[in-house]
């Protein structure tokens, strides 16, 4: 259903998938890729990565990368760490295998099964240039809220792109709000 809504508005998005989900729904992963969406890594087992060693993080991430690549033919370059949890060890481990960790600055909270108007208000009221918005594919009201969100943001002049198209070149940092900033802007 989400793929149809995004297709109607010609929006390309980034989907971060868990390896276990790839195992269960390979046809859905392939459909996302075939529709022109990015399929990226959300870990293999949805573990709390900040509780894992560097080697355990790498093994988990690479296992998911292998599964996604087997289905789509494209190896992920981005990962959204589960629960949004990260620390220096997680970031170092992820970057050691040539990947970039991604956060978000607008959380729809759709996973809490908020009502449609509340999801719309949360997203449209918080988005700004360069925002990364977090949605979940299995959330109850996301399919109902998404058309209004897309239409509202398009009317406000926003464009939608996959995350790989808005990542800042290195060096950058992720601030406490989930926004990416050039590393030299950190002090401001």
């Amino acid at each position: 259903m989400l793929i149809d809504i995004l297709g109607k508005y010609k929006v390309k998005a980034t989907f971060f998938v868990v390896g276990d989900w790839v195992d269960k729904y390979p046809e859905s992963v392939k459909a996302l890729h075939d529709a022109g969406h990015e399929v990226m890594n959300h870990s293999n087992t949805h573990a709390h990565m900040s509780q894992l060693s560097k080697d355990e993080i790498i093994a988990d991430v690479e296992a998911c990368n292998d599964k996604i690549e087997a289905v789509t033919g494209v190896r992920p370059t981005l990962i959204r760490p589960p629960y949004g949890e990260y620390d220096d060890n997680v970031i170092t481990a992820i970057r050691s295998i040539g990947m970039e960790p991604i956060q978000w600055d607008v959380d729809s909270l759709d996973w809490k099964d908020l009502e449609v108007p509340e999801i719309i208000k949360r997203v449209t009221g918080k988005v700004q240039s360069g925002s990364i918005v977090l949605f979940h594919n299995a959330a109850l009201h996301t399919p109902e809220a998404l058309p209004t969100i897309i239409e509202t943001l398009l009317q406000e002049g926003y464009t939608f792109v996959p995350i790989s198209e808005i990542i800042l070149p290195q060096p950058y940092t992720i601030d406490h709000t989930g926004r990416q900033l050039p590393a030299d802007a950190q002090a401001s």
Side-chain angles (χ1 to χ4, degrees), residues 124-135:
T124 60
K126 294 182 181 215
V127 163
Q128 51 190 310
S129 182
S131 281
I132 295 174
V133 183
L134 176 64
F135 288 101

Side-chain angles (χ1 to χ4, degrees), residues 130-145:
S131 281
I132 295 174
V133 183
L134 176 64
F135 288 101
H136 295 81
N137 66 322
L140 189 60
H141 298 296
T142 301
E144 296 167 76

Side-chain angles (χ1 to χ4, degrees):
M1 182 178 279
L2 292 180
I3 199 168
D4 296 329
I5 295 167
L6 294 171
K8 174 183 175 185
Y9 294 98
K10 297 179 176 50
V11 169
K12 299 300 180 205
T14 303
F15 287 81
F16 290 93
V17 298
V18 176
D20 294 344
W21 196 79
V22 179
D23 291 337
K24 288 181 189 169
Y25 306 106
E27 67 289 339
S28 295
V29 173
K30 178 124 177 59
L32 290 170
H33 172 75
D34 290 350
H37 300 290
E38 289 183 336
V39 179
M40 296 292 178
N41 192 316
H42 188 42
S43 82
N44 195 47
T45 60
H46 212 269
H48 289 272
M49 290 192 164
S50 58
Q51 298 173 7
L52 302 178
S53 71
K54 180 180 178 183
D55 289 343
E56 289 170 327
I57 294 166
I58 291 170
D60 185 88
V61 171
E62 292 288 28
C64 185
N65 282 344
D66 291 344
K67 292 175 182 183
I68 293 169
E69 185 175 24
V71 172
T72 67
V74 178
R75 194 156 189 89
T77 56
L78 307 175
I79 179 170
R80 182 171 76 78
Y83 313 102
E85 292 178 0
Y86 65 94
D87 57 19
D88 288 346
N89 182 53
V90 172
I91 291 174
T92 300
I94 290 168
R95 287 185 174 157
S96 77
I97 56 173
M99 295 183 71
E100 278 300 308
I102 298 299
Q103 290 294 325
W104 60 90
D105 67 308
V106 179
D107 189 346
S108 68
L109 295 181
D110 58 352
W111 58 272
K112 287 187 171 185
D113 294 337
L114 300 178
E115 293 301 319
V116 171
E118 194 171 349
I119 294 171
I120 293 168
K121 181 180 176 190
R122 280 193 62 75
V123 174
T124 60
K126 294 182 181 215
V127 163
Q128 51 190 310
S129 182
S131 281
I132 295 174
V133 183
L134 176 64
F135 288 101
H136 295 81
N137 66 322
L140 189 60
H141 298 296
T142 301
E144 296 167 76
L146 202 51
T148 301
I149 290 169
I150 292 171
E151 289 171 14
T152 300
L153 295 176
L154 286 171
Q155 287 171 358
E156 292 177 6
Y158 288 99
T159 55
F160 296 85
V161 297
I163 292 176
S164 68
E165 294 184 25
I166 63 170
I167 293 180
L168 295 170
Q170 282 288 357
Y172 74 84
T173 188
I174 303 170
D175 74 7
H176 70 282
T177 70
R179 291 184 62 79
Q180 298 176 80
L181 300 170
D184 56 3
Q186 196 170 344
S188 353

